[in-house]
Amino acid sequence: MKQNKHFISHKLFFSVLFFAISMGCFAQEAEPKAGASAQELADKMANPVASLISVPLQNNLTYGIGPYNGIKYQINIQPVVPFKLSENLNLITRYILPVVDQQDVTGQDTHEFGLSDATVTAFFAPKTKGIIFGAGPAFLVPTATEKLLGTEKFGIGPSVLVMHQGKGLSIGFLANQIWSVAGNADRADFNQFYTQIFLTHSYKSGASLGITSEITQNWQGNTTLITVSPNVGAITKLGGQTMQFAVMPLIPVVGHQSIKPDWGLRAVVAFIFPGA
């Protein structure tokens, strides 16, 4: 039974990975012919507060988690929806809804499957030249369908983005700090800091190369997890749908033995709606 569950997780992830690599290879041939160029779209996808509707599906597979060498497959559904508040100010809303399938993470011979807690971020982003800035609230929403997949807490805190973007080059970071403010009093409080540092270079074809580092600091549990991910991506069109594909390893460099995986992989499939 355990092998079957591992096989299902492997099959789901590597199907997405193979699809991303196969489609990404045709990015040059399928470059969008009208509207924004492929490179412009790649630059916008590298900008977390770009005024662009997109729906990324981020697939993560990690092995060797904790003392029981657990395995986790997590798909993050991450729609980004912008709102124009004025000529010089946009509101960029970002949603992350994780679906998790994990084995031997919370204990020996354990298995959990279902939704984890959602994160909703709202960036108020003024139109600026040179340095791009965004700030606003971040919310933790207790949407978990299993007790061990969530916190049973509602949380809130600040989020911020600072980046510089020139044609073909994007560099910056985004961060949030969330504290629990309500929820199940019998569960531990939530107090966590997260930041993502990124550097991406795009090309005329819509291809991109970059490196990302993610840092998660759980103040309540006094644990830190730092990963580094070199990545490759491509903009393409399938029929009339503009898409981006990206693949990258998840390389853990710092982490407590209870949460640090041995290694991981990520494949991203993003649906882009340039004219929306």
Side-chain angles (χ1 to χ4, degrees), residues 44 76 83 97 115 121 137 164-165 175 202 207 215 228 232 264 271 275:
K44 285 187 175 182
N76 293 327
F83 297 93
L97 182 62
L115 295 178
T121 309
H164 172 74
Q165 189 168 60
S202 67
I215 304 171
V228 174
V232 58
F271 299 85

Side-chain angles (χ1 to χ4, degrees), residues 16-247:
V16 174
L17 180 63
F18 175 76
F19 182 64
I21 294 173
S22 299
M23 293 301 101
C25 290
F26 296 100
Q28 289 187 345
E29 298 180 14
E31 183 177 333
K33 298 296 191 298
S37 71
Q39 185 173 22
E40 289 171 338
L41 289 176
D43 287 345
K44 285 187 175 182
M45 290 298 289
N47 179 0
V49 293
S51 184
L52 180 74
I53 296 176
S54 63
V55 183
L57 304 177
Q58 184 192 88
N59 298 262
N60 302 275
L61 184 63
T62 46
Y63 287 90
I65 304 170
Y68 303 104
N69 291 314
I71 177 174
K72 176 191 286 188
Y73 172 65
Q74 178 171 316
I75 178 170
N76 293 327
I77 305 168
Q78 300 178 311
V80 179
V81 183
F83 297 93
K84 184 177 180 180
L85 301 181
S86 70
E87 290 298 322
N88 298 310
L89 183 65
N90 291 324
L91 173 64
I92 312 298
T93 59
R94 299 170 60 87
Y95 310 84
I96 301 176
L97 182 62
V99 181
V100 179
D101 185 6
Q102 63 184 28
Q103 177 83 35
D104 296 334
V105 173
T106 59
Q108 186 71 45
D109 298 323
T110 59
H111 176 244
E112 292 85 30
F113 172 78
L115 295 178
S116 185
D117 291 344
T119 304
V120 180
T121 309
F123 288 103
F124 292 92
K127 292 183 180 180
T128 58
K129 294 182 180 180
I131 300 298
I132 298 171
F133 176 78
F139 302 94
L140 176 72
V141 185
T143 54
T145 55
E146 282 202 27
K147 181 177 181 179
L148 294 177
L149 294 180
T151 63
E152 297 184 344
K153 296 284 188 177
F154 180 83
I156 188 171
S159 62
V160 65
L161 164 85
V162 179
M163 68 175 294
H164 172 74
Q165 189 168 60
K167 186 175 182 180
L169 181 64
S170 304
I171 181 170
F173 75 93
L174 61 84
N176 64 53
Q177 166 65 49
I178 300 178
W179 298 271
S180 57
V181 294
N184 188 341
D186 295 328
R187 296 292 298 270
D189 290 333
F190 184 88
N191 181 4
Q192 185 166 285
F193 172 78
Y194 169 82
T195 186
Q196 180 186 96
I197 305 165
F198 55 89
L199 171 66
T200 303
H201 188 278
S202 67
Y203 300 88
K204 290 183 179 180
S205 66
S208 60
L209 295 173
I211 187 166
T212 300
S213 178
E214 295 178 276
I215 304 171
T216 303
Q217 175 67 46
N218 183 336
W219 303 109
Q220 193 70 24
N222 195 28
T223 57
T224 304
L225 181 62
I226 302 176
T227 60
V228 174
S229 301
N231 54 77
V232 58
I235 297 288
T236 187
K237 292 191 78 170
L238 296 180
Q241 179 62 58
T242 305
M243 306 181 75
Q244 183 182 53
F245 301 91
V247 292

